[in-house]
């Protein structure tokens, strides 16, 4: 059994471009092309370059945890950009990002994130090879994350969704990830309540969209799936929650980490978000380390692999927790060892 916590690697700005209207920072572990950093490109109207870098450091740290947990073969990283009008600088953003990636000679690989699209990644790929975004592939990174989330749900239920008794679930955030999760639950007979700022996204056949004024955290549920923003659940909400399980596809869904611990003390199964939302990085590992199998595979093959891997590791985590291990110790027990081959290499082995 592992003991003690691993020291988190230091993340720093590896390359940057700064101007009055656009600043771009590559924030990652100190690494090289043998174990490249991996994380998406996001552009926001940050209040300052300092705030932009701080967010990059936070996000790169989260990516480090996720990559290490699943043994993707990548280090943690993120590219963060600051612009008052993100859409207005998109051409320059693509050009600058390509130059920064080229300057790092393969030590950083990026993909989609907030305010960047697959179309942006296609344009970036034309300028640099250091992109993993399923360009030209039927695989969708958000769908991969959604199927990983469904695998985590099956770990909590200890059954395949086809065999589980349908219950009551709430999906908060019905975008590319949450919407896919919610639709699959509806297809399996679940009563699914949906919450989204865009009422249209929450209103699909079989779902029960809730009004903005509804105190959704007071509903009696069998599953809560936060798929929207970080810091969604505050202390008042956590105290009122009536559910045996929280399966977060969103990063850091609690405003304070101790809120999750308080729920666990009440007997609620709260899965750590890096365990749940790793579908996209697992897909990246396949694309990077098993390129031939990736080219020959269909989207369903990739999604099934992701779902199985997340379900297996989440089930192992829950088993360790049942044996009395702390959250940190349980995650250490189920994490890939540094000597393990990248998870992507095992894709297609049984075929």
């Amino acid at each position: 059994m592992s003991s003690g916590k691993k020291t988190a690697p230091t993340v720093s700005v590896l390359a940057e471009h700064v101007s009055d209207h656009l600043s771009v920072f590559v924030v990652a572990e100190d690494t090289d092309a043998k174990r490249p950093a991996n994380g998406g490109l996001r552009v926001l109207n940050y209040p300052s370059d300092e705030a932009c870098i701080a967010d990059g450091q936070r996000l790169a740290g989260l990516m480090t945890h996720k990559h290490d947990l699943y043994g993707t073969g990548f280090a943690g990283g993120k590219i963060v950009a600051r612009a008052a009008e993100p859409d207005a600088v998109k051409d320059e953003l693509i050009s600058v990002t390509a130059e920064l990636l080229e300057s790092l000679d393969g030590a950083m690989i990026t993909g989609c994130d907030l305010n960047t699209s697959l179309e942006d990644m296609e344009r970036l790929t034309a300028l640099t090879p250091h992109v993993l975004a399923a360009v030209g592939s039927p695989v969708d990174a958000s769908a991969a994350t959604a199927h990983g989330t469904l695998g985590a749900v099956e770990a909590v239920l200890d059954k395949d969704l086809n065999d589980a008794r349908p219950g009551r679930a709430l999906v908060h955030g019905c975008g590319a990830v949450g919407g896919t999760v919610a639709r699959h639950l509806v297809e399996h007979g679940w009563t699914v309540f949906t919450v989204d700022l865009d009422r249209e996204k929450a209103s699909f056949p079989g779902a029960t969209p809730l009004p903005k004024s509804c105190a959704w955290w007071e509903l009696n549920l069998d599953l809560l799936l936060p798929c929207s923003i970080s810091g969604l659940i505050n202390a008042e909400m956590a105290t009122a929650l009536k559910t045996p399980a929280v399966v977060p596809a969103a990063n850091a869904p609690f405003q304070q980490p101790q809120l999750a611990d308080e729920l666990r003390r009440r007997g609620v199964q709260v899965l750590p978000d890096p365990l749940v939302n790793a579908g996209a990085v697992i897909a990246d590992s396949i694309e990077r380390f098993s390129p031939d199998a990736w080219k020959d595979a269909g989207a369903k093959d990739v999604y099934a692999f992701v779902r199985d891997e997340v379900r297996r590791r989440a089930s192992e985590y829950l088993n360790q927790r049942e044996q009395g291990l702390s959250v940190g110790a349980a995650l250490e027990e189920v994490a890939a060892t540094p000597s393990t081959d990248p998870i992507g290499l095992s894709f297609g082995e049984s075929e």
Side-chain angles (χ1 to χ4, degrees):
M1 184 181 297
S2 302
S3 60
K5 292 185 178 180
K6 296 178 182 177
T7 302
T10 300
V11 297
S12 60
V13 177
L14 302 186
E16 65 180 55
H17 165 91
V18 178
S19 71
D20 290 340
H21 62 283
L22 174 66
S23 295
V24 185
F25 302 95
V26 180
V27 186
E29 296 179 51
D30 185 11
T31 187
D32 56 33
K34 292 181 180 179
R35 184 173 179 260
N38 171 265
L41 164 63
R42 65 169 52 189
V43 53
L44 290 171
N45 184 16
Y46 290 102
S48 65
D49 284 351
E50 290 75 18
C52 183
I53 293 170
D55 198 33
Q57 291 173 326
R58 177 184 70 86
L59 294 165
L62 291 173
M63 292 301 296
T64 292
H65 191 189
K66 196 180 303 184
H67 286 307
D68 289 351
L69 186 58
Y70 280 92
T72 62
F74 298 112
K78 211 74 172 179
I79 304 181
V80 286
R82 180 186 64 81
E85 299 182 37
D87 289 339
V89 300
K90 193 59 74 69
D91 289 345
E92 185 177 358
L93 173 66
I94 298 301
S95 175
V96 166
T97 301
E99 291 176 3
L100 295 177
L101 289 171
E102 286 294 297
S103 74
L104 293 172
D105 196 25
M108 177 70 193
I109 296 174
T110 197
C112 295
D113 207 304
L114 289 177
N115 292 322
T116 57
S117 65
L118 181 58
E119 181 182 353
D120 296 327
M121 294 304 109
E122 291 172 346
R123 294 170 60 198
L124 188 60
T125 301
L127 300 175
T128 177
H130 308 306
V131 179
L132 286 174
V135 172
S137 166
V139 175
D140 179 86
S142 294
T145 300
H147 281 274
T149 303
L150 290 168
V153 166
E154 291 177 326
V156 167
L157 299 176
D158 197 24
K159 287 183 179 178
D160 188 283
L161 271 176
N162 292 321
D163 302 322
R165 178 184 63 80
R168 291 160 56 91
L170 184 138
V171 178
H172 195 287
C174 296
V177 175
T180 300
V181 170
R183 284 176 172 82
H184 272 77
L185 290 174
V186 166
E187 289 171 6
H188 285 85
W190 284 65
T191 298
V192 179
F193 301 98
T194 53
V195 179
D196 198 286
L197 292 175
D198 185 339
R199 180 81 175 178
E200 187 175 340
K201 289 182 179 179
S203 304
F204 58 86
T208 303
L210 300 178
K212 292 181 181 179
S213 59
C214 179
W216 54 265
W217 52 91
E218 295 180 353
L219 294 177
N220 286 306
L221 303 167
D222 297 295
L223 282 175
L224 171 62
L225 296 117
C227 300
S228 53
I229 59 173
S230 297
L232 168 69
I233 302 171
N234 61 28
E236 176 188 354
M237 294 173 180
T239 299
L241 282 179
K242 301 171 184 175
T243 180
V246 180
V247 182
N251 289 320
F254 295 93
Q255 287 190 2
Q256 297 89 30
Q258 62 266 29
L259 297 178
D261 294 331
E262 290 172 7
L263 283 173
R264 292 182 179 110
R265 284 192 287 271
R266 284 164 43 192
V268 179
Q269 289 183 319
V270 182
L271 288 183
D273 49 279
L275 195 62
V276 176
N277 60 22
V281 299
I282 295 173
D284 282 349
S285 185
I286 300 171
E287 185 177 2
R288 170 78 174 187
F289 297 106
S290 294
D292 292 337
W294 172 266
K295 290 177 184 176
D296 294 337
K300 288 184 178 179
D301 300 321
V302 173
Y303 300 155
F305 179 84
V306 166
R307 189 165 173 165
D308 288 346
E309 288 295 328
V310 175
R311 176 177 176 170
R312 179 178 64 81
R313 209 162 298 245
S315 295
E316 291 176 1
Y317 164 83
L318 291 171
N319 181 56
Q320 295 295 335
R321 289 284 289 150
E322 288 176 2
Q323 295 182 39
L325 269 66
S326 67
V327 172
L331 285 173
E332 282 194 32
E333 284 296 314
V334 305
T337 59
S339 61
T340 303
D341 287 336
I343 192 172
L345 281 174
S346 62
F347 178 72
E349 281 186 347
S350 60
E351 297 178 1

